[in-house]
Amino acid sequence: LLPRSVRTPLLVSTLSLVLACTHKAPPSAEASAPRERGSPEAAARIRALADENWEGQLKLDSLLATQVGDTRYDDRLPDALSDAGREAIRQLAVRTRTGLEAIPRAELRGEDVFTWAVLDEQTRTTLDGLPFDDHLMPLDSLNSIAVQMPVLGSGVGMQPFRTVRDYDNFLARIRAFSSWADQAIARS
């Protein structure tokens, strides 16, 4: 799980990004008026950057992937406790910010402007939150891997057990949980 100081803003930003990319506003009277067009290249670059960032988030936070229905990482747990895991989170944010700096915001239009702003806020929040050591408090009575594991183990909800692979994935998560618990104890 990502650190608490990063998790909530990240989730809000991610949901905003998803909504921005899927919501189509109704046509207005202004829609028929001629508008300045944005750069198709800049639009393609921001969309590719958003996709790359999203894929990186799913890979780093396997429980987020499971929550949104992406089963590719159902056999692992996120690593936000180790120095390597926190560095991977930082690197994704830095890579995304570097990509943002290379895309002229003035050349974007419509939802692409919003996508740029969400990625900017999300990566800034992540980088600003990493110096806080809330990863040293891995247990939370409402939202921590220790609380989520029994829920996942029920076989219903966000990780249902329908196939042999589903069971194998959860068994792999159980093995990963043992390592996570050892690391949480060592970090506490």
Side-chain angles (χ1 to χ4, degrees):
L1 228 49
L2 292 173
R4 212 172 289 121
S5 62
V6 174
R7 188 174 50 233
T8 301
L10 182 64
L11 184 58
V12 169
S13 297
T14 301
L15 291 174
S16 297
L17 180 61
V18 169
L19 287 173
C21 293
T22 60
H23 179 72
K24 298 291 181 193
S28 65
E30 298 170 354
S32 59
R35 293 187 293 168
E36 183 181 335
R37 296 188 63 130
S39 162
E41 179 185 297
R45 288 170 59 200
I46 192 65
R47 292 172 189 171
L49 183 62
D51 289 344
E52 179 185 323
N53 179 269
W54 179 243
E55 285 300 318
Q57 287 182 49
L58 296 177
K59 187 174 183 179
L60 292 174
D61 190 347
S62 56
L63 291 177
L64 172 63
T66 299
Q67 288 171 339
V68 299
D70 187 332
T71 60
R72 292 178 292 169
Y73 308 108
D74 279 357
D75 62 339
R76 56 192 89 161
L77 291 174
D79 175 16
L81 296 181
S82 75
D83 292 337
R86 292 175 56 76
E87 178 59 18
I89 293 166
R90 189 192 70 75
Q91 285 178 8
L92 176 61
V94 168
R95 263 194 327 272
T96 302
R97 290 206 63 73
T98 301
L100 282 174
E101 292 167 4
I103 300 170
R105 190 173 184 184
E107 294 182 17
L108 298 173
R109 298 292 176 266
E111 65 190 34
D112 296 326
V113 173
F114 187 66
T115 299
W116 195 100
V118 168
L119 288 172
D120 179 56
E121 178 64 25
Q122 183 181 63
T123 55
R124 186 181 318 277
T125 301
T126 296
L127 292 171
D128 289 349
L130 283 172
F132 296 102
D133 288 335
D134 64 350
H135 68 288
L136 300 178
M137 298 180 349
L139 297 179
D140 177 325
S141 64
L142 299 176
N143 188 23
S144 71
I145 291 176
V147 172
Q148 291 179 336
M149 283 301 288
V151 175
L152 291 170
S154 72
V156 296
M158 70 181 199
Q159 188 173 1
F161 299 158
R162 294 186 186 117
T163 67
V164 171
R165 183 172 183 203
D166 293 338
Y167 283 94
D168 289 341
N169 284 340
F170 185 70
L171 290 172
R173 274 194 168 155
I174 290 173
R175 287 187 291 279
F177 179 74
S178 178
S179 297
W180 179 90
D182 290 343
Q183 192 167 36
I185 291 167
R187 288 281 194 167
S188 295

